[in-house]
Amino acid sequence: VSHTGKETTAFSPSTQQACNLEKDEPVSRRALLSVFYEGGFYRELVGNKESKFSQTSSKKSDFYAAFAPDGKKILTVTSKTAALWNWDGQKIEKDMEISLPGNMEFRPNADFSPDGNAIIFCSKDSKRVVLWGLAANTLKAIPFEWEISFVDFSPDKKNITFIAACRDNNIRRYDLTGKLLKTFTGHRNEVISALFSRDGKYIISTAWDNT
């Protein structure tokens, strides 16, 4: 808020420069939206209008962006689609984009497997995790007993597993077939997110119980 009482939005020079120079590039724009989706920066970037990259006509058009393990690809996610891009802002291949069927929608969360061969998503209002196999460009939905808010791959390339932050107050670890390996209990409300440490020895989680 300025000294006149009017609301203002202030950015660092580097952030403002990035916004001015890169906001018309698809990959850069999506990455910026992913980081600054909330608050003044987002409103400045899209001018209080629905982004042209949106696949829906409401606030459900969340954005998410992530780097592949090799650093050569960028994943972008909207509520209904996911796509892979190269550093030139071009889709890597025409078929390297997926769309969810029916009423399924992606949450703004995704993760590459440590070997870079698969991407995992969780869907909104659905007890399903979606696996995108990149080598054969296959899509597999794994059903679960609980609604899932967040997913993350383990960093171990030899024994790839993933964890899911569940809305029944628990965190669970699974293999790629959907087999339950371990349940982590202790939260007293819905788990919002869960992440492996880089060495795979620890998991950090957040939940609606303020812990």
Side-chain angles (χ1 to χ4, degrees):
V1 179
S2 69
H3 68 279
T4 62
K6 295 181 179 180
E7 290 189 6
T8 62
T9 303
F11 311 123
S12 68
S14 60
T15 303
Q16 184 67 61
Q17 184 180 30
C19 177
N20 292 337
L21 293 178
E22 304 293 347
K23 64 183 178 181
D24 293 325
E25 293 295 326
V27 172
S28 300
R29 187 182 176 99
R30 286 189 175 193
L32 286 170
L33 282 172
S34 176
V35 178
F36 298 104
Y37 188 76
E38 297 295 335
F41 193 97
Y42 169 75
R43 292 192 296 273
E44 177 75 14
L45 198 60
V46 301
N48 288 306
K49 297 179 181 179
E50 187 72 12
S51 169
K52 64 182 179 180
F53 294 108
S54 170
Q55 301 299 316
T56 64
S57 59
S58 70
K59 292 182 180 179
K60 293 180 180 179
S61 55
D62 296 323
F63 285 84
Y64 185 83
F67 290 104
D70 61 8
K72 296 179 180 179
K73 298 182 287 291
I74 298 172
L75 167 73
T76 58
V77 184
T78 68
S79 60
K80 293 294 290 185
T81 65
L84 291 174
W85 307 75
N86 61 26
W87 281 100
D88 295 325
Q90 303 296 321
K91 288 181 183 176
I92 295 175
E93 295 178 13
K94 290 182 179 179
D95 60 351
M96 295 311 284
E97 177 173 330
I98 58 172
S99 297
L100 287 177
N103 295 324
M104 288 183 67
E105 289 188 350
F106 288 123
R107 289 186 182 275
N109 156 239
D111 191 34
F112 279 91
S113 61
D115 58 10
N117 293 329
I119 301 172
I120 192 169
F121 312 85
C122 53
S123 59
K124 293 182 179 180
D125 303 319
S126 175
K127 299 176 182 179
R128 282 178 285 188
V129 164
V130 179
L131 281 173
W132 183 12
L134 300 182
N137 196 26
T138 57
L139 199 63
K140 178 182 179 182
I142 303 175
F144 289 88
E145 296 181 44
W146 309 272
E147 289 190 23
I148 296 172
S149 299
F150 200 94
V151 287
D152 188 55
F153 272 119
S154 65
D156 185 358
K157 293 182 180 180
K158 296 181 180 180
N159 182 29
I160 299 176
T161 61
F162 68 91
I163 50 174
C166 302
R167 303 186 72 177
D168 69 340
N169 310 348
N170 297 309
I171 303 158
R172 292 179 173 85
R173 188 171 187 170
Y174 301 90
D175 66 16
L176 294 185
T177 67
K179 178 183 177 181
L180 177 63
L181 302 176
K182 188 174 181 62
T183 300
F184 301 86
T185 62
H187 281 297
R188 298 179 300 279
N189 208 327
E190 294 180 11
V191 185
I192 303 169
S193 62
L195 287 169
F196 279 101
S197 60
R198 292 189 177 184
D199 60 8
K201 295 180 180 179
Y202 301 96
I203 293 169
I204 186 169
S205 61
T206 60
W208 286 114
D209 61 5
N210 300 331
T211 65

